[in-house]
Amino acid sequence: FSGGIFTTTDTSTGSKVADGSYVVTDSRTANITVKSLVRGTTSNVTCLLATEAQLNCTNSAGATFTLTRRQFS
């Protein structure tokens, strides 16, 4: 996540699976638009900052998932 855009990758293959944009609405909440490269769909989700490296998210259908920032060494 940087500058209002992000990319997600499959950790097992390294393949890019989605792109998106986000707007931070307060110190712990972000509204995110995810464009799936696998499904060819666009989804809107709301995420809460759980830790510096983890967002807990809920999509418009109520499904929950976690986004984790990859740590580079």
Side-chain angles (χ1 to χ4, degrees):
F1 283 85
S2 179
I5 59 171
F6 68 95
T7 297
T8 59
T9 57
D10 182 320
T11 56
S12 63
T13 65
S15 298
K16 187 162 112 171
V17 295
D19 286 320
S21 60
Y22 64 93
V23 175
V24 176
T25 57
D26 63 40
S27 63
R28 296 194 59 230
T29 309
N31 291 324
I32 301 174
T33 300
V34 181
K35 298 170 190 158
S36 171
L37 304 175
V38 176
R39 294 187 189 118
T41 58
T42 299
S43 302
N44 294 307
V45 300
T46 300
C47 298
L48 297 175
L49 183 65
T51 68
E52 279 189 27
Q54 180 177 313
L55 292 170
N56 294 332
C57 304
T58 304
N59 70 14
S60 57
T64 60
F65 60 95
T66 299
L67 295 174
T68 304
R69 182 185 305 262
R70 183 176 176 187
Q71 301 298 318
F72 295 99
S73 48

